[in-house]
Amino acid sequence: MAFESIRYESRDGIARLTLHRPDRLNSFNDAMHAEVREALAALAGDPSARVLLLTGAGRGFCAGQDLSDRAVAPGEAPVDLGASIERNYRPLVLALRSLPVPTLCAVNGVAAGAGANLALACDLVVAAKSASFIQAFCKIGLVPDSGGTFFLPRLVGTARAMGLAMLGDRLTAEQAASWGLIWQAIDDAGFAGAVEKLAAQLAAGPTRGLVAARQAIHASAANSLAAQLDLERDLQRELGFGADYREGVAAFLEKRAPRFTGR
Ligand code: T3D
């Protein structure tokens, strides 16, 4: 598919979405939001796609909202940021969390503002050791958005969430991994190879089972233990009738690698 602000291709089970405005550190404007929405809709309807690999072009991952669209001349009415969130960021985060395939975010460089929280909306987040995460909102008088106030306390606890939100300090990829904000920080030299390997592993995985794991893990925050056990039972029942479970058991018994089809 041909886009201006992103690159998107789906091949060998891997749907690659690269934010592509490197001279603006891949910050979002309306046009980029529209293209990302279109790509995610295409992915959701593409039965050959088994994983989303989200990354950024150039030295940054994403610097959040493009602030050059937010300058207000004297006498001009300010932009309605609530409308922007309703139109762009809210649907983006919800779309990422409900894709029918696992999502892998490869944070190749700085992830700031909504860019940081977009990464946290993905199932697995890996970052190059030179990358960093900044809840930059407090520097411009805003509150962490795009799920920041939801993801941060759940991932790193209230004290660290407060510090990140109120100080806006740069968190290195290694700190982010040691705090449990992301899955892994990877040496820059091996980053591209490690990302490809992870993407290929997820693309060859039992897609429905992986998405069910996401669903159950996210549901746990609001469920009682009994409700969570009920959910696990229901998901297991559904998956137990699926082709991938049958293949997984057969492969185990035949002492060979499984060939999952995502069904
Ligand atoms: O508005 C709404 O719709 C509400 C929703 C808001 C969501 C949000 O994301 S609000 C938060 C917006 N983002 C920020 O506040 C981050 C702003 N950027 C930075 O603080 C820094 O650029 C970084 C810490 C991310 C990286 O710093 P550094 O020193 O590595 O790079 P740099 O020199 O600052 O940036 C490189 C270029 O990218 C530069 O352009 P230039 O001077 O080379 O022509 C810079 O202006 C541009 N750039 C970086 N971030 C943005 C940006 N241009 C527009 N908007 C940006 N967010």
Side-chain angles (χ1 to χ4, degrees):
M1 296 170 87
F3 291 111
E4 276 187 18
S5 314
I6 66 169
R7 300 289 178 266
Y8 179 76
E9 66 159 359
S10 178
R11 195 164 35 88
D12 300 330
I14 304 176
R16 296 165 196 273
L17 198 170
T18 305
L19 306 175
H20 206 284
R21 303 180 68 230
D23 53 330
R24 287 279 166 272
L25 295 185
N26 305 318
S27 56
F28 271 92
N29 56 16
D30 275 356
M32 186 157 103
H33 272 293
E35 292 189 351
V36 170
R37 269 196 299 277
E38 196 181 328
L40 293 182
L43 193 175
D46 173 2
S48 72
R50 306 273 299 278
V51 64
L52 167 69
L53 170 54
L54 175 66
T55 192
R59 73 174 177 90
F61 168 67
C62 174
Q65 170 64 37
D66 186 330
L67 295 177
S68 50
D69 286 356
R70 293 293 180 262
V72 183
E76 244 182 40
V79 174
D80 177 348
L81 302 188
S84 159
I85 286 174
E86 189 64 31
R87 180 175 68 248
N88 289 326
Y89 292 98
R90 185 178 189 278
L92 172 57
V93 170
L94 293 178
L96 281 173
R97 293 275 279 212
S98 60
L99 281 177
V101 297
T103 55
L104 169 63
C105 186
V107 180
N108 52 298
V110 64
N117 298 333
L118 181 65
L120 301 183
C122 293
D123 298 329
L124 282 187
V125 187
V126 294
K129 281 193 179 163
S130 61
S132 55
F133 296 81
I134 310 175
Q135 295 294 322
F137 307 89
C138 60
K139 310 232 165 153
I140 53 170
L142 297 183
V143 63
D145 64 20
S146 305
T149 59
F150 184 91
F151 302 136
L152 291 172
R154 283 169 171 75
L155 289 166
V156 300
T158 305
R160 284 171 166 169
M162 288 291 184
L164 292 171
M166 292 196 171
L167 303 174
D169 287 350
R170 188 186 288 266
L171 195 67
T172 66
E174 282 179 288
Q175 271 175 302
S178 76
W179 283 16
L181 189 71
I182 66 169
W183 172 241
Q184 246 180 0
I186 300 171
D187 283 328
D188 284 30
F191 186 63
V195 166
E196 288 305 315
K197 207 168 152 203
L198 270 176
Q201 180 179 341
L202 291 169
T207 314
R208 287 178 57 218
L210 302 183
V211 171
R214 170 211 292 155
Q215 182 190 339
I217 286 169
H218 290 324
S220 73
N223 271 347
S224 64
L225 174 60
Q228 192 68 13
L229 290 169
D230 288 349
L231 175 62
E232 290 174 358
R233 174 202 60 212
D234 295 344
L235 291 171
Q236 215 69 304
R237 174 175 290 136
E238 210 179 300
L239 294 167
F241 291 124
D244 278 346
Y245 172 63
R246 208 171 314 134
E247 165 62 9
V249 173
F252 175 77
L253 296 175
E254 292 161 24
K255 300 189 188 302
R256 61 171 173 82
R259 291 181 291 270
F260 293 122
T261 57
R263 287 192 296 272

